[in-house]
Short mmCIF file of all heavy atoms in Angstrom, two decimals:
data_model
loop_
_atom_site.label_atom_id
_atom_site.label_comp_id
_atom_site.label_asym_id
_atom_site.label_seq_id
_atom_site.Cartn_x
_atom_site.Cartn_y
_atom_site.Cartn_z
N TYR A 1 130.69 114.97 111.47
CA TYR A 1 130.47 113.95 110.43
C TYR A 1 129.49 112.88 110.88
O TYR A 1 128.77 112.32 110.06
CB TYR A 1 131.79 113.34 109.95
CG TYR A 1 132.83 113.11 111.01
CD1 TYR A 1 132.98 111.87 111.61
CD2 TYR A 1 133.67 114.13 111.42
CE1 TYR A 1 133.93 111.65 112.58
CE2 TYR A 1 134.63 113.92 112.39
CZ TYR A 1 134.76 112.67 112.97
OH TYR A 1 135.71 112.46 113.93
N VAL A 2 129.40 112.61 112.20
CA VAL A 2 128.40 111.66 112.69
C VAL A 2 127.01 112.25 112.51
O VAL A 2 126.08 111.61 112.00
CB VAL A 2 128.64 111.34 114.19
CG1 VAL A 2 127.51 110.52 114.75
CG2 VAL A 2 129.96 110.60 114.36
N LEU A 3 126.90 113.52 112.91
CA LEU A 3 125.63 114.22 112.82
C LEU A 3 125.12 114.27 111.38
O LEU A 3 123.95 113.98 111.10
CB LEU A 3 125.89 115.66 113.28
CG LEU A 3 124.91 116.27 114.26
CD1 LEU A 3 125.39 117.63 114.64
CD2 LEU A 3 123.53 116.32 113.68
N GLU A 4 126.02 114.64 110.46
CA GLU A 4 125.57 114.83 109.07
C GLU A 4 125.23 113.51 108.41
O GLU A 4 124.38 113.46 107.53
CB GLU A 4 126.65 115.57 108.28
CG GLU A 4 126.81 116.99 108.78
CD GLU A 4 127.47 117.89 107.77
OE1 GLU A 4 128.08 117.39 106.82
OE2 GLU A 4 127.38 119.11 107.94
N PHE A 5 125.89 112.43 108.84
CA PHE A 5 125.53 111.14 108.27
C PHE A 5 124.08 110.83 108.62
O PHE A 5 123.29 110.42 107.77
CB PHE A 5 126.45 110.05 108.81
CG PHE A 5 126.16 108.69 108.22
CD1 PHE A 5 126.79 108.29 107.05
CD2 PHE A 5 125.24 107.85 108.81
CE1 PHE A 5 126.51 107.06 106.49
CE2 PHE A 5 124.96 106.61 108.26
CZ PHE A 5 125.60 106.22 107.10
N LEU A 6 123.72 111.05 109.89
CA LEU A 6 122.34 110.78 110.32
C LEU A 6 121.36 111.70 109.59
O LEU A 6 120.30 111.27 109.14
CB LEU A 6 122.21 110.97 111.83
CG LEU A 6 122.99 109.95 112.69
CD1 LEU A 6 122.98 110.36 114.15
CD2 LEU A 6 122.36 108.57 112.54
N LEU A 7 121.74 112.98 109.44
CA LEU A 7 120.85 113.92 108.74
C LEU A 7 120.69 113.51 107.28
O LEU A 7 119.61 113.62 106.70
CB LEU A 7 121.41 115.34 108.83
CG LEU A 7 121.29 116.01 110.20
CD1 LEU A 7 122.07 117.31 110.23
CD2 LEU A 7 119.83 116.28 110.54
N GLY A 8 121.78 113.04 106.66
CA GLY A 8 121.72 112.60 105.26
C GLY A 8 120.74 111.44 105.11
O GLY A 8 120.09 111.28 104.09
N GLN A 9 120.65 110.61 106.17
CA GLN A 9 119.74 109.46 106.12
C GLN A 9 118.29 109.88 106.32
O GLN A 9 117.39 109.38 105.67
CB GLN A 9 120.11 108.46 107.24
CG GLN A 9 121.52 107.93 107.16
CD GLN A 9 121.71 106.99 105.99
OE1 GLN A 9 120.86 106.15 105.72
NE2 GLN A 9 122.81 107.15 105.29
N TYR A 10 118.05 110.81 107.28
CA TYR A 10 116.67 111.09 107.71
C TYR A 10 116.06 112.35 107.11
O TYR A 10 114.86 112.53 107.14
CB TYR A 10 116.60 111.20 109.24
CG TYR A 10 116.79 109.88 109.95
CD1 TYR A 10 118.05 109.49 110.37
CD2 TYR A 10 115.72 109.03 110.18
CE1 TYR A 10 118.23 108.27 111.01
CE2 TYR A 10 115.90 107.82 110.83
CZ TYR A 10 117.15 107.44 111.24
OH TYR A 10 117.34 106.24 111.86
N CYS A 11 116.90 113.27 106.63
CA CYS A 11 116.35 114.57 106.20
C CYS A 11 116.70 114.91 104.77
O CYS A 11 117.10 116.03 104.48
CB CYS A 11 116.90 115.69 107.08
SG CYS A 11 116.67 115.42 108.81
N SER A 12 116.60 113.95 103.86
CA SER A 12 117.06 114.28 102.51
C SER A 12 115.92 114.74 101.61
O SER A 12 116.03 114.70 100.41
CB SER A 12 117.78 113.08 101.90
OG SER A 12 116.91 111.99 101.87
N SER A 13 114.78 115.15 102.19
CA SER A 13 113.69 115.61 101.33
C SER A 13 113.56 117.13 101.40
O SER A 13 114.29 117.78 102.13
CB SER A 13 112.38 114.98 101.77
OG SER A 13 111.87 115.72 102.85
N ASP A 14 112.61 117.69 100.63
CA ASP A 14 112.41 119.14 100.64
C ASP A 14 111.18 119.52 101.45
O ASP A 14 110.93 120.69 101.69
CB ASP A 14 112.21 119.64 99.20
CG ASP A 14 113.52 120.12 98.64
OD1 ASP A 14 114.45 120.35 99.44
OD2 ASP A 14 113.63 120.26 97.41
N ASP A 15 110.40 118.52 101.83
CA ASP A 15 109.14 118.77 102.51
C ASP A 15 109.41 119.18 103.96
O ASP A 15 109.99 118.41 104.73
CB ASP A 15 108.31 117.47 102.45
CG ASP A 15 106.99 117.62 103.18
OD1 ASP A 15 106.73 118.73 103.68
OD2 ASP A 15 106.22 116.64 103.23
N PRO A 16 109.00 120.41 104.36
CA PRO A 16 109.30 120.91 105.71
C PRO A 16 108.85 119.94 106.81
O PRO A 16 109.55 119.76 107.80
CB PRO A 16 108.52 122.22 105.80
CG PRO A 16 108.24 122.62 104.41
CD PRO A 16 108.25 121.39 103.56
N GLU A 17 107.68 119.29 106.62
CA GLU A 17 107.19 118.39 107.67
C GLU A 17 108.11 117.19 107.84
O GLU A 17 108.45 116.79 108.95
CB GLU A 17 105.78 117.89 107.33
CG GLU A 17 104.69 118.87 107.74
CD GLU A 17 103.30 118.31 107.49
OE1 GLU A 17 103.16 117.06 107.41
OE2 GLU A 17 102.35 119.11 107.36
N LEU A 18 108.51 116.61 106.69
CA LEU A 18 109.40 115.44 106.75
C LEU A 18 110.74 115.81 107.37
O LEU A 18 111.32 115.05 108.14
CB LEU A 18 109.61 114.86 105.35
CG LEU A 18 108.41 114.10 104.77
CD1 LEU A 18 108.67 113.68 103.34
CD2 LEU A 18 108.10 112.87 105.62
N ILE A 19 111.23 117.02 107.02
CA ILE A 19 112.51 117.46 107.58
C ILE A 19 112.38 117.61 109.10
O ILE A 19 113.23 117.16 109.86
CB ILE A 19 112.96 118.80 106.94
CG1 ILE A 19 113.44 118.53 105.52
CG2 ILE A 19 114.04 119.47 107.76
CD1 ILE A 19 114.04 119.70 104.81
N GLU A 20 111.26 118.21 109.53
CA GLU A 20 111.01 118.40 110.96
C GLU A 20 111.04 117.04 111.68
O GLU A 20 111.69 116.88 112.71
CB GLU A 20 109.63 119.07 111.13
CG GLU A 20 109.37 119.66 112.50
CD GLU A 20 110.40 120.70 112.91
OE1 GLU A 20 110.83 121.51 112.06
OE2 GLU A 20 110.79 120.67 114.09
N LYS A 21 110.33 116.06 111.07
CA LYS A 21 110.30 114.71 111.66
C LYS A 21 111.70 114.11 111.70
O LYS A 21 112.10 113.50 112.69
CB LYS A 21 109.39 113.79 110.82
CG LYS A 21 107.94 113.83 111.25
CD LYS A 21 107.16 112.75 110.51
CE LYS A 21 105.66 112.93 110.72
NZ LYS A 21 104.88 112.38 109.61
N GLY A 22 112.41 114.29 110.59
CA GLY A 22 113.77 113.73 110.48
C GLY A 22 114.67 114.29 111.57
O GLY A 22 115.41 113.54 112.22
N VAL A 23 114.59 115.61 111.77
CA VAL A 23 115.44 116.26 112.77
C VAL A 23 115.10 115.70 114.16
O VAL A 23 116.00 115.41 114.96
CB VAL A 23 115.26 117.80 112.73
CG1 VAL A 23 115.94 118.44 113.92
CG2 VAL A 23 115.85 118.35 111.45
N GLU A 24 113.80 115.52 114.43
CA GLU A 24 113.40 114.95 115.72
C GLU A 24 113.99 113.55 115.89
O GLU A 24 114.51 113.20 116.95
CB GLU A 24 111.87 114.87 115.82
CG GLU A 24 111.20 116.22 116.11
CD GLU A 24 111.83 116.95 117.30
OE1 GLU A 24 111.95 116.33 118.38
OE2 GLU A 24 112.21 118.13 117.15
N SER A 25 113.90 112.73 114.81
CA SER A 25 114.45 111.36 114.89
C SER A 25 115.93 111.40 115.23
O SER A 25 116.42 110.66 116.09
CB SER A 25 114.29 110.62 113.56
OG SER A 25 113.00 110.72 113.09
N VAL A 26 116.67 112.29 114.52
CA VAL A 26 118.12 112.37 114.75
C VAL A 26 118.39 112.76 116.20
O VAL A 26 119.26 112.18 116.86
CB VAL A 26 118.76 113.37 113.77
CG1 VAL A 26 120.22 113.60 114.12
CG2 VAL A 26 118.64 112.87 112.34
N LYS A 27 117.60 113.73 116.72
CA LYS A 27 117.82 114.15 118.12
C LYS A 27 117.57 112.99 119.07
O LYS A 27 118.32 112.81 120.03
CB LYS A 27 116.87 115.32 118.46
CG LYS A 27 117.34 116.65 117.90
CD LYS A 27 116.40 117.75 118.34
CE LYS A 27 116.86 119.11 117.84
NZ LYS A 27 115.82 120.13 117.99
N HIS A 28 116.49 112.20 118.79
CA HIS A 28 116.20 111.07 119.67
C HIS A 28 117.32 110.04 119.63
O HIS A 28 117.76 109.55 120.67
CB HIS A 28 114.88 110.39 119.25
CG HIS A 28 113.68 111.08 119.81
ND1 HIS A 28 113.52 111.29 121.17
CD2 HIS A 28 112.59 111.63 119.21
CE1 HIS A 28 112.38 111.95 121.38
NE2 HIS A 28 111.80 112.17 120.20
N ILE A 29 117.77 109.74 118.41
CA ILE A 29 118.84 108.73 118.26
C ILE A 29 120.07 109.18 119.07
O ILE A 29 120.67 108.39 119.80
CB ILE A 29 119.21 108.56 116.78
CG1 ILE A 29 118.05 107.87 116.04
CG2 ILE A 29 120.48 107.74 116.62
CD1 ILE A 29 118.23 107.79 114.55
N LEU A 30 120.40 110.47 118.95
CA LEU A 30 121.59 110.96 119.66
C LEU A 30 121.38 110.91 121.17
O LEU A 30 122.26 110.51 121.92
CB LEU A 30 121.92 112.39 119.21
CG LEU A 30 122.48 112.50 117.79
CD1 LEU A 30 122.66 113.96 117.42
CD2 LEU A 30 123.80 111.77 117.66
N ALA A 31 120.17 111.31 121.60
CA ALA A 31 119.91 111.35 123.05
C ALA A 31 119.94 109.94 123.65
O ALA A 31 120.49 109.73 124.73
CB ALA A 31 118.56 112.00 123.31
N ASP A 32 119.36 108.96 122.93
CA ASP A 32 119.24 107.62 123.51
C ASP A 32 120.50 106.78 123.35
O ASP A 32 120.82 105.96 124.20
CB ASP A 32 118.06 106.86 122.87
CG ASP A 32 116.74 107.56 123.16
OD1 ASP A 32 116.74 108.40 124.08
OD2 ASP A 32 115.75 107.28 122.47
N ASN A 33 121.19 106.94 122.21
CA ASN A 33 122.23 105.96 121.87
C ASN A 33 123.66 106.48 121.89
O ASN A 33 124.59 105.70 121.91
CB ASN A 33 121.95 105.35 120.50
CG ASN A 33 120.54 104.84 120.37
OD1 ASN A 33 119.75 105.38 119.61
ND2 ASN A 33 120.19 103.83 121.14
N PHE A 34 123.83 107.80 121.84
CA PHE A 34 125.20 108.31 121.80
C PHE A 34 125.84 108.15 123.18
O PHE A 34 125.27 108.57 124.19
CB PHE A 34 125.22 109.78 121.38
CG PHE A 34 126.61 110.35 121.28
CD1 PHE A 34 127.42 110.00 120.22
CD2 PHE A 34 127.10 111.21 122.24
CE1 PHE A 34 128.71 110.49 120.11
CE2 PHE A 34 128.39 111.71 122.15
CZ PHE A 34 129.20 111.35 121.08
N VAL A 35 127.01 107.53 123.24
CA VAL A 35 127.64 107.23 124.53
C VAL A 35 128.54 108.38 124.95
O VAL A 35 129.48 108.73 124.23
CB VAL A 35 128.51 105.96 124.44
CG1 VAL A 35 129.14 105.66 125.78
CG2 VAL A 35 127.70 104.79 123.96
N ARG A 36 128.23 109.00 126.11
CA ARG A 36 129.19 109.96 126.66
C ARG A 36 130.12 109.20 127.59
O ARG A 36 129.64 108.36 128.35
CB ARG A 36 128.45 111.07 127.41
CG ARG A 36 127.73 111.98 126.45
CD ARG A 36 127.05 113.13 127.11
NE ARG A 36 127.60 113.50 128.41
CZ ARG A 36 126.91 114.17 129.32
NH1 ARG A 36 125.66 114.51 129.07
NH2 ARG A 36 127.46 114.52 130.46
N PRO A 37 131.42 109.51 127.54
CA PRO A 37 132.37 108.70 128.34
C PRO A 37 131.99 108.64 129.83
O PRO A 37 132.18 107.61 130.47
CB PRO A 37 133.70 109.43 128.15
CG PRO A 37 133.56 110.16 126.87
CD PRO A 37 132.12 110.49 126.71
N ASP A 38 131.41 109.73 130.36
CA ASP A 38 131.10 109.70 131.81
C ASP A 38 129.86 108.86 132.12
O ASP A 38 129.57 108.57 133.28
CB ASP A 38 130.92 111.14 132.34
CG ASP A 38 129.88 111.91 131.55
OD1 ASP A 38 129.58 111.46 130.43
OD2 ASP A 38 129.39 112.94 132.03
N GLU A 39 129.10 108.47 131.08
CA GLU A 39 127.89 107.66 131.34
C GLU A 39 128.11 106.20 130.97
O GLU A 39 127.16 105.42 130.91
CB GLU A 39 126.71 108.21 130.54
CG GLU A 39 126.26 109.58 131.03
CD GLU A 39 125.06 110.10 130.23
OE1 GLU A 39 124.76 109.53 129.17
OE2 GLU A 39 124.44 111.06 130.69
N ALA A 40 129.36 105.83 130.68
CA ALA A 40 129.61 104.48 130.19
C ALA A 40 129.11 103.41 131.15
O ALA A 40 128.45 102.45 130.74
CB ALA A 40 131.11 104.31 129.93
N GLN A 41 129.38 103.61 132.45
CA GLN A 41 128.99 102.58 133.43
C GLN A 41 127.47 102.43 133.50
O GLN A 41 126.95 101.32 133.63
CB GLN A 41 129.55 102.90 134.81
CG GLN A 41 131.06 102.72 134.91
CD GLN A 41 131.50 101.32 134.48
OE1 GLN A 41 130.91 100.32 134.85
NE2 GLN A 41 132.54 101.26 133.66
N LYS A 42 126.77 103.57 133.39
CA LYS A 42 125.30 103.54 133.45
C LYS A 42 124.77 102.69 132.28
O LYS A 42 123.86 101.87 132.45
CB LYS A 42 124.77 104.98 133.37
CG LYS A 42 123.26 105.08 133.50
CD LYS A 42 122.78 106.51 133.50
CE LYS A 42 122.19 106.88 132.17
NZ LYS A 42 121.72 108.25 132.08
N ILE A 43 125.34 102.91 131.11
CA ILE A 43 124.85 102.18 129.93
C ILE A 43 125.16 100.69 130.04
O ILE A 43 124.34 99.84 129.70
CB ILE A 43 125.46 102.80 128.65
CG1 ILE A 43 124.75 104.13 128.38
CG2 ILE A 43 125.33 101.87 127.45
CD1 ILE A 43 125.26 104.92 127.24
N LEU A 44 126.35 100.37 130.57
CA LEU A 44 126.70 98.95 130.73
C LEU A 44 125.73 98.27 131.71
O LEU A 44 125.32 97.13 131.49
CB LEU A 44 128.14 98.81 131.24
CG LEU A 44 129.22 99.14 130.20
CD1 LEU A 44 130.60 99.10 130.82
CD2 LEU A 44 129.14 98.19 129.02
N SER A 45 125.35 99.02 132.73
CA SER A 45 124.43 98.42 133.71
C SER A 45 123.05 98.22 133.07
O SER A 45 122.38 97.20 133.30
CB SER A 45 124.38 99.32 134.95
OG SER A 45 123.07 99.57 135.34
N GLN A 46 122.62 99.20 132.24
CA GLN A 46 121.33 99.02 131.54
C GLN A 46 121.40 97.84 130.57
O GLN A 46 120.43 97.10 130.40
CB GLN A 46 120.97 100.30 130.78
CG GLN A 46 120.49 101.40 131.72
CD GLN A 46 120.10 102.66 130.97
OE1 GLN A 46 120.45 102.84 129.81
NE2 GLN A 46 119.38 103.55 131.63
N LEU A 47 122.55 97.70 129.92
CA LEU A 47 122.72 96.57 128.99
C LEU A 47 122.59 95.25 129.75
O LEU A 47 121.94 94.31 129.29
CB LEU A 47 124.10 96.68 128.33
CG LEU A 47 124.63 95.47 127.57
CD1 LEU A 47 123.75 95.18 126.36
CD2 LEU A 47 126.06 95.68 127.10
N ARG A 48 123.14 95.20 130.97
CA ARG A 48 123.08 93.96 131.75
C ARG A 48 121.63 93.66 132.18
O ARG A 48 121.18 92.52 132.12
CB ARG A 48 123.97 94.11 132.99
CG ARG A 48 123.97 92.90 133.89
CD ARG A 48 125.00 93.04 134.99
NE ARG A 48 124.77 92.02 136.01
CZ ARG A 48 124.04 92.22 137.09
NH1 ARG A 48 123.45 93.40 137.31
NH2 ARG A 48 123.87 91.25 137.97
#
């Protein structure tokens, strides 16, 4: 449901190029911002 919410925001068009871009954006957002429990300390240190 987290994934589809992001896809609903970024990939709601029919144009293949826009969809491609949207999918890339979603992947970036997940890679940069999604917190994995084992990386929590790393993120807190970056926040500091």
Side-chain angles (χ1 to χ4, degrees):
Y1 38 97
V2 172
L3 226 176
E4 293 200 344
F5 182 89
L6 293 171
L7 287 170
Q9 301 290 317
Y10 289 93
C11 307
S12 58
S13 82
D14 265 343
D15 178 2
E17 277 185 22
L18 287 175
I19 287 186
E20 195 58 40
K21 271 188 191 153
V23 170
E24 283 309 309
S25 310
V26 172
K27 282 183 178 167
H28 277 304
I29 290 173
L30 289 175
D32 298 343
N33 309 113
F34 182 74
V35 181
R36 289 183 23 202
D38 55 342
E39 292 181 346
Q41 288 306 315
K42 183 176 104 181
I43 285 176
L44 288 175
S45 132
Q46 285 182 343
L47 167 65
R48 179 173 167 267

